[in-house]
Amino acid sequence: MIEVKNLTKSYGNVAAVQDVSFSVGKDQVLGFLGPNGAGKTTIMKILTGYHFPTSGTALIDGISVDENPVEIKKRIGYLPENVPLYGDLTIDEYLGFVAEARRIGGSESKKAIDASLEACGLKAWRGRKIETLSKGYRQRTGLAQAILHDPPILILDEPTNGLDPNQIIEIRSLIRELGQRKTVILSTHIMQEVEAICSRVLIINEGKIAAQGTPEEIAGTMKGGDTWELVIKGMGAQDVQFKLPHLGIDISSASSQQLEDGTVGLSFFVASDSGDTPAGERIFDWAVANGLKILGMSRKKLSIEDIFVSLTTDEKNPGEVQHNGQ
Ligand code: ADP
């Protein structure tokens, strides 16, 4: 449905997007995750036909965005980061104006407005002036204008930015609902947002793709794997460190700490592909073989937050993860 190939965009000598390629299938919800200035908005503006690429192509249903932006705009609903709403209009009047701009006329216009008010939970508010709405309801109004022409694709730039926690929950659930029947691309710098809404993630850093796939796929290609934390008894912290190589783990990732009650707190990474026996069993066998008692044991999966921090702060890591889905 969306095919981006070797997309590059420069503003003067600022290389905002560099050689980015990815594709999005029907009814997927793809998250663009990246720090501020990574190039997310630029890619979205190219996809929506508001900016032209410097080189490379973006195709929507096989139509090139720079060759036929009018056709592209029919297929896409766009919620920019700062949606231009007119405060002195009511929601109804504003959507009527958008319908006119989109050349939806007469009874079609009324149907389209009713449907998008319904989808965005705005029916009871339709006569309210936009300037009297809370930020959450303004964002709903922005979404209502984006879906007014019932486009198959929705592009949402930081849709929950500036909302309070309750409004964030509401807008996320609205996007999840829309994502069941539309292809959605949304940008965010909030890690939890992609975990809450997206089926696939594209991590963007300094204009380039640092990783893409499902959160699990990306985690699987990362060095480290899961973090294990143990509380053990039977040996001092120093001696435990010496026994660790027998566990077959990367001991540079291990730390041990003597706790007050004579126990030792131990933490280390275990790579997901490091052996046939599950890590938990290996740890247990290792403790028994060394006369240690395990008093506590927990495993923390690599989160999208860990991945994001690693990919956007460590120059070496991107080489170790999949590039452009290959
Ligand atoms: P993000 O959406 O990830 O925050 P942007 O796409 O807005 O990133 O910006 C990417 C880079 O391009 C940044 O360095 C930004 O300063 C620059 N940039 C964005 N828009 C313009 C513009 N109109 N003119 C010049 N530089 C721009």
Side-chain angles (χ1 to χ4, degrees):
M1 181 156 238
I2 300 174
E3 188 81 46
V4 171
K5 289 183 200 156
N6 309 108
L7 200 68
T8 294
K9 172 76 185 176
S10 303
Y11 299 105
N13 52 11
V14 177
V17 175
Q18 300 171 58
D19 200 25
V20 163
S21 299
F22 64 93
S23 58
V24 196
K26 195 172 176 317
D27 298 346
Q28 274 185 355
V29 180
L30 174 72
F32 281 178
L33 181 63
N36 286 330
K40 304 179 297 293
T41 300
T42 301
I43 299 174
M44 293 183 146
K45 286 198 166 154
I46 292 172
L47 288 178
T48 49
Y50 288 93
H51 276 343
F52 291 119
T54 306
S55 64
T57 52
L59 304 171
I60 310 285
D61 290 338
I63 305 167
S64 167
V65 291
D66 45 351
E67 278 166 18
N68 200 342
V70 174
E71 195 51 42
I72 295 297
K73 287 190 175 94
K74 283 187 195 160
R75 288 162 201 249
I76 289 183
Y78 179 38
L79 179 69
E81 198 177 352
N82 299 305
V83 57
L85 297 172
Y86 302 105
D88 54 341
L89 298 184
T90 63
I91 297 179
D92 256 353
E93 287 165 349
Y94 170 67
L95 293 179
F97 163 74
V98 176
E100 241 176 77
R102 287 209 167 268
R103 300 192 202 292
I104 307 170
S107 62
E108 282 306 304
S109 162
K110 190 182 172 315
K111 258 198 260 168
I113 292 172
D114 282 349
S116 64
L117 287 171
E118 175 77 47
C120 296
L122 284 171
K123 271 203 145 165
W125 300 77
R126 59 193 308 160
R128 280 280 290 266
K129 274 199 174 185
I130 290 173
E131 65 192 6
T132 68
L133 297 174
S134 68
K135 191 138 200 291
Y137 274 81
R138 282 181 201 207
Q139 201 65 341
R140 281 172 190 252
T141 308
L143 268 173
Q145 70 72 33
I147 63 170
L148 191 71
H149 56 303
D150 197 19
I153 300 170
L154 272 183
I155 296 193
L156 315 174
D157 199 351
E158 305 256 2
T160 59
N161 209 6
L163 302 184
D164 72 30
N166 287 332
Q167 294 165 341
I168 289 177
I169 292 170
E170 284 172 21
I171 294 292
R172 281 184 189 163
S173 99
L174 189 52
I175 296 169
R176 260 197 305 271
E177 237 171 83
L178 291 168
Q180 288 172 6
R181 52 203 154 84
K182 292 185 189 292
T183 301
V184 179
I185 297 183
L186 69 91
S187 76
T188 180
H189 58 272
I190 307 167
M191 274 71 75
Q192 293 87 334
E193 193 131 299
V194 293
E195 282 175 331
I197 315 180
C198 305
S199 46
R200 281 184 64 226
V201 190
L202 215 125
I203 299 182
I204 302 170
N205 191 38
E206 294 178 356
K208 295 181 189 149
I209 295 181
Q212 63 174 309
T214 62
E216 295 75 30
E217 278 167 0
I218 296 173
T221 60
M222 294 288 293
K223 192 178 169 190
D226 301 334
T227 302
W228 288 82
E229 285 182 355
L230 308 184
V231 178
I232 51 174
K233 194 171 182 182
M235 211 179 269
Q238 286 288 88
D239 298 329
V240 168
Q241 286 276 16
F242 286 115
K243 299 286 178 193
L244 279 171
H246 301 293
L247 194 48
I249 59 162
D250 171 11
I251 56 164
S252 66
S253 74
S255 67
S256 62
Q257 191 193 352
Q258 196 69 47
L259 304 177
E260 277 176 6
D261 54 359
T263 60
V264 171
L266 190 59
S267 140
F268 48 83
F269 283 120
V270 177
S272 14
D273 57 353
S274 61
D276 294 335
T277 315
E281 279 183 43
R282 277 173 36 224
I283 294 166
F284 193 82
D285 292 345
W286 166 83
V288 172
N290 287 284
L292 297 166
K293 287 180 183 163
I294 296 181
L295 304 182
M297 185 155 158
S298 72
R299 169 189 185 177
K300 188 173 151 261
K301 287 220 162 276
L302 200 64
S303 71
I304 193 84
E305 183 159 1
D306 300 327
I307 294 167
F308 177 80
V309 169
S310 166
L311 289 176
T312 56
T313 54
D314 181 355
E315 296 269 300
K316 291 184 196 94
N317 255 325
E320 291 164 7
V321 304
Q322 60 186 133
H323 282 279
N324 304 332
Q326 288 156 17

